[in-house]
Amino acid sequence: MASILADVDSQLSPKFAPFFGMAGIAFAMIFGCLGAAYGTAKSGIGIAGVGTYRPDLIMKSLIPVVMSGIIAVYALVIAVLIAGDMAPPPETYSLFTGFMHLAAGLSVGLSGLAAGYAIGIVGDMGVRCYMQQSRIFVGMVLILIFGEVLGLYGLIVGLILNSKSQA
Amino acid sequence: MSTLQQRRPTAPTTGSPNEKILQTNIGSSDTTPLVASNVIRTLLLFTAAMVICPIGSYFVTVNTIFRGNSTFAGGFAALVANVVLIGYVVVAWKDDVEDGSTKSNVGTGVRGPAEGKKEK
């Protein structure tokens, strides 16, 4: 009876289960920082182009860079959360939890990649057009917020998944 | 550039005027006074806030306010990051409004760096 119970236990929490949780941490950071890096670099190109002609607009043009930084903060938050739930081997770690952590990390990371991509393109063209037409500022910030909210949705789903794995 | 070309013939004969022109050249091309110190301070403040506040608020609140519920603490960290972003947008917006009022006085021309320095 004890051997059957141990067998079921090892089937529910096999030795390779932490692999998926750690993959979730890595995917969250890798994809989230890929998106943040693309957003920072692409909008940085636009800011450099704007700052050559209108140095007084650099301060307002830095908003896409700040938003890209927030994408990386989302990835950092979910990575810290998942890492806080993991423990060395004597602690049992079920396969369900591992897949859940993988899903949380992938949802945050890949939605962060999408959000960073959107922020990069919108930030690049937005600050260039803002140099010529100052009324576009409100529209640019709104589009950037809608792009950045994509990463926030991924973080919400990741947080919900992470809370399910704790229960 | 024109001063560089002018000073080139006088360079072999006299040394001290050459140095003087070089000094003024360096002084005029120096960009540090063009960036106002309050802008630098604002950017440094928001950089520090963006680095410290979200992850710091997570670690501060996870065991004190939320009592180990790391999900709420993570959501709170994301909220703090967005608060920092909104603060930056507000600061940039106020800067924009000030510029708009001064621009209507000056005109619609492109403002040079010296004008921006005068304002700040």
Side-chain angles (χ1 to χ4, degrees):
Chain A
M1 189 63 191
S3 68
I4 292 170
L5 274 179
D7 192 42
V8 165
D9 192 46
S10 71
Q11 274 183 355
L12 285 179
S13 54
K15 286 170 185 163
F16 59 84
F19 172 84
F20 293 101
M22 291 173 187
I25 299 174
F27 281 145
M29 283 314 293
I30 289 168
F31 288 122
C33 288
L34 269 178
Y38 184 83
T40 306
K42 190 88 164 74
S43 57
I45 292 170
I47 292 165
V50 168
T52 314
Y53 300 104
R54 297 283 301 273
D56 53 314
L57 294 184
I58 293 176
M59 182 81 178
K60 280 147 277 176
S61 307
L62 279 175
I63 289 174
V65 175
V66 179
M67 288 194 164
S68 301
I70 286 186
I71 301 296
V73 167
Y74 291 163
L76 185 67
V77 164
I78 202 69
V80 168
L81 276 181
I82 297 174
D85 286 349
M86 299 186 78
E91 201 81 14
T92 56
Y93 185 82
S94 67
L95 192 60
F96 178 81
T97 310
F99 284 143
M100 197 72 96
H101 285 163
L102 180 65
L106 274 179
S107 72
V108 174
L110 288 175
S111 64
L113 182 62
Y117 191 77
I119 287 172
I121 292 172
V122 171
D124 185 19
M125 281 318 290
V127 296
R128 282 175 200 274
C129 297
Y130 176 55
M131 181 173 65
Q132 293 163 348
Q133 169 60 266
S134 60
R135 286 189 182 182
I136 214 164
F137 183 74
V138 178
M140 181 186 79
V141 170
L142 236 109
I143 298 168
L144 282 173
I145 287 172
F146 275 97
E148 192 251 343
V149 154
L150 300 178
L152 185 63
Y153 293 159
L155 180 72
I156 290 170
V157 170
L159 287 177
I160 291 171
L161 285 173
N162 191 54
S163 69
K164 291 271 186 192
S165 73
Q166 278 175 338
Chain B
M1 197 59 199
S2 61
T3 54
L4 276 174
Q5 281 167 352
Q6 278 167 5
R7 78 173 165 82
R8 205 167 276 155
T10 62
T13 54
T14 55
S16 55
N18 181 25
E19 281 175 12
K20 211 176 280 177
I21 290 167
L22 205 65
Q23 287 279 327
T24 54
N25 257 349
I26 289 172
S28 66
S29 68
D30 196 5
T31 54
T32 39
L34 292 180
V35 180
S37 63
N38 61 344
V39 173
I40 299 274
R41 206 174 303 131
T42 307
L43 288 180
L44 280 179
L45 183 79
F46 276 103
T47 305
M50 193 51 102
V51 170
I52 295 167
C53 282
I55 200 71
S57 69
Y58 170 80
F59 283 116
V60 165
T61 58
V62 66
N63 284 326
T64 56
I65 297 174
F66 297 113
R67 291 166 194 201
N69 192 343
S70 57
T71 304
F72 283 156
F76 184 71
L79 190 76
V80 167
N82 281 287
V83 165
V84 173
L85 168 72
I86 291 169
Y88 186 83
V89 170
V90 165
V91 167
W93 178 254
K94 279 165 77 177
D95 198 27
D96 184 52
V97 168
E98 282 170 17
D99 273 5
S101 61
T102 53
K103 208 181 289 171
S104 63
N105 294 336
V106 170
T108 54
V110 174
R111 295 166 65 236
E115 217 170 327
K117 190 174 74 173
K118 235 181 286 172
E119 187 189 78
K120 278 158 187 156

